[in-house]
Amino acid sequence: MLGERVPSLPRQNAVESAPHKRVEPLRVEEVRDLAAFDALEMEWNALVKRVDDQVFYRHEFVRCWIEHFAPGAKLRILAARNASGGLAAVLGLQEEQGHQYGVPVRQLSSLTNKHSCRFDLIAEEPKRAAVAFLSHLLGDPSWEVLRLSDVPEGGAAWELLHAAKGAGMPWGAWPSARSPYLVLPSTVAAWTKGRGNAKPLRRRRRRLEEKGRVEVERVAGIEGLGSKLEEAFALEQSGWKAQEGTAIAQAVHRRGFYTGLARTAAERGWLGLYFLRLDSRPIAFQYGLEYAGRYLAMKPGYDEALSEVSPGHLLTENLIQDCIGRGLGELDLLGDDAPYKREWTEQTRQHHWLFIYRDTWMGQTLQRSKFRWAPVAKRMVGRWVRRR
């Protein structure tokens, strides 16, 4: 490309595990259709299990996301194989036309949106995989920015940023979700001791029990799941999310994703759909997954007509007690930080959007506009507003 300086990346075969023993470079393949992606399922999941066993990185989760949120995507999934042909790393990407401050940008972006929760490079040797993938992508002039969304702090994908930085490429990191999480003790008694909201919730629970029979239900299996999901979707749509147009049931792709994911999770023993019921009527729910010792709280909802007794908090209290009883070690509240989540914990997990730009005039300009000029303009406007 005219005006592009080809960055110098470390040679893949420069890594040695023993004197005079050269490690063969990783062989990078691109997966561009669903059939080829589906063929990777067993190898993909085995790699996730070995490297960072999170449900969001599993093939089934990514497949469900693609099917409902990006059915027509131009897939550019990178897969790296070692000398013996084993799958050593994967990076789920798609090619799309984006915009940055109104300027059209050809970008490679992660297979993510706000419903995918978390994303990362999955690699046995992240540094080596990052060099291999970035070297491969530099041979393709069709993109101007590589964007990875919601990478956890300290995740393997940061090695891509380090490789780009070492090669002199424009880059940047932008904070995204700061997700609260709670490390669970081994007993309910240990969790209850010293908890600040215990007494207020006891009072609210008594007030709720005065209205009728209160029950907690956990749905984990496939039988009757469709009707249970419809109850949850209807309850969510009865509140403020419907006014903002963000309720699951208000969009075919959202309904399809959460329905398909729930069915897959139920078949594999991951589903944890909880309801708080008043005289059999659902007044709060928590849609989540139970995986690898964690409960992952993806979507909550409650009856806003009963907000004075905090049905969502009451259900969360029951959910935590059940998770402890089931031997889980963490409740991950996912998504953005919010006051209602801070009722339960002060611990958070920071995520970032990572950006790598080609070393061209356009790439340098895009990087400066996002990480230099825009922040300066924002600070100047803030000072002007405060002075008014």
Side-chain angles (χ1 to χ4, degrees):
M1 180 180 289
L2 183 64
E4 180 173 7
R5 179 179 65 83
V6 179
S8 176
L9 289 168
R11 290 171 60 87
Q12 289 190 62
N13 60 5
V15 180
E16 298 185 359
S17 58
H20 311 301
K21 184 178 180 180
R22 190 180 73 171
V23 176
E24 292 296 322
L26 296 175
R27 176 169 54 87
V28 178
E29 306 168 348
E30 285 203 18
V31 175
R32 297 200 177 210
D33 60 69
L34 281 177
F37 176 60
D38 288 344
L40 286 175
E41 182 174 1
M42 290 185 64
E43 288 184 290
W44 184 295
N45 284 339
L47 177 64
V48 170
K49 196 81 174 176
R50 293 195 305 272
V51 172
D52 188 2
D53 193 13
Q54 297 200 45
V55 72
F56 309 116
Y57 305 158
R58 286 185 63 94
H59 188 279
E60 301 96 322
F61 189 95
V62 179
R63 181 63 168 80
C64 188
W65 186 92
I66 294 173
E67 180 181 354
H68 296 288
F69 290 118
K74 295 182 179 179
L75 298 179
R76 296 286 301 274
I77 299 171
L78 303 185
R81 295 189 178 277
N82 55 33
S84 61
L87 190 65
V90 291
L91 185 68
L93 301 176
Q94 61 180 322
E95 182 180 327
E96 59 182 359
Q97 185 72 36
H99 290 83
Q100 183 172 307
Y101 303 118
V103 178
V105 177
R106 298 172 302 167
Q107 64 184 18
L108 296 177
S109 59
S110 52
L111 296 170
T112 51
N113 62 7
K114 63 183 179 181
H115 302 282
S116 51
C117 300
R118 191 168 290 141
F119 177 84
D120 208 354
L121 163 69
I122 307 301
E124 293 175 334
E125 300 177 71
K127 186 176 296 186
R128 188 177 173 213
V131 170
F133 284 156
L134 199 55
S135 297
H136 173 81
L137 291 176
L138 284 173
D140 172 17
S142 67
W143 62 277
E144 292 158 331
V145 58
L146 172 64
R147 189 199 72 195
L148 308 179
S149 303
D150 293 320
V151 175
E153 196 156 303
W158 286 86
E159 291 296 343
L160 285 160
L161 218 62
H162 298 155
K165 181 180 179 181
M169 299 175 68
W171 62 277
W174 200 271
S176 59
R178 182 184 292 272
S179 303
Y181 69 97
L182 173 64
V183 175
L184 300 176
S186 59
T187 66
V188 172
W191 171 67
T192 303
K193 187 177 181 180
R195 187 162 58 90
N197 63 354
K199 288 183 179 180
L201 286 182
R202 278 200 297 271
R203 290 195 295 269
R204 292 168 193 167
R205 191 175 297 276
R206 284 196 295 269
R207 288 163 58 190
L208 180 61
E209 290 170 345
E210 291 171 359
K211 299 177 183 292
R213 187 178 73 258
V214 178
E215 298 173 303
V216 177
E217 179 186 17
R218 178 178 179 271
V219 179
I222 197 73
E223 186 177 352
L225 179 58
S227 62
K228 301 295 184 181
L229 289 172
E230 289 305 315
E231 283 188 297
F233 296 163
L235 183 56
E236 184 197 37
Q237 195 173 355
S238 69
W240 62 268
K241 290 184 182 180
Q243 299 174 8
E244 296 190 356
T246 60
I248 291 171
Q250 288 179 288
V252 173
H253 55 280
R254 290 198 294 264
R255 177 189 284 271
F257 172 73
Y258 284 101
T259 300
L261 180 61
R263 292 189 180 280
T264 297
E267 290 168 355
R268 287 159 175 75
W270 307 337
L271 182 63
L273 175 60
Y274 287 81
F275 288 95
L276 183 67
R277 296 182 179 275
L278 178 62
D279 291 333
S280 301
R281 177 172 63 90
I283 60 171
F285 79 91
Q286 177 64 65
Y287 176 117
L289 304 177
E290 183 181 312
Y291 187 84
R294 293 177 177 175
Y295 183 82
L296 308 158
M298 294 186 69
K299 279 288 180 179
Y302 68 96
D303 186 343
E304 294 178 11
L306 293 168
S307 58
E308 76 279 0
V309 294
S310 304
H313 282 314
L314 293 177
L315 177 58
T316 300
E317 183 177 51
N318 287 120
L319 186 154
I320 292 173
Q321 292 170 349
D322 190 60
C323 286
I324 293 172
R326 297 172 61 80
L328 301 185
E330 182 180 305
L331 168 64
D332 192 339
L333 293 170
L334 301 172
D336 293 319
D337 199 356
Y340 78 89
K341 297 179 184 180
R342 289 304 187 99
E343 283 270 332
W344 305 102
T345 181
E346 290 299 317
Q347 296 172 294
T348 60
R349 185 173 283 119
Q350 181 68 62
H351 299 75
H352 289 80
W353 285 21
L354 309 184
F355 298 82
I356 296 173
Y357 300 85
R358 297 190 77 89
D359 193 14
T360 62
W361 175 85
M362 174 61 80
Q364 293 169 2
T365 302
L366 290 170
Q367 193 272 348
R368 288 169 184 154
S369 69
K370 187 168 188 68
F371 293 96
R372 296 186 190 179
W373 303 334
V376 169
K378 185 177 180 180
R379 287 196 297 270
M380 291 178 66
V381 169
R383 291 172 186 166
W384 178 76
V385 169
R386 288 193 295 272
R387 289 172 181 170
R388 292 188 64 188

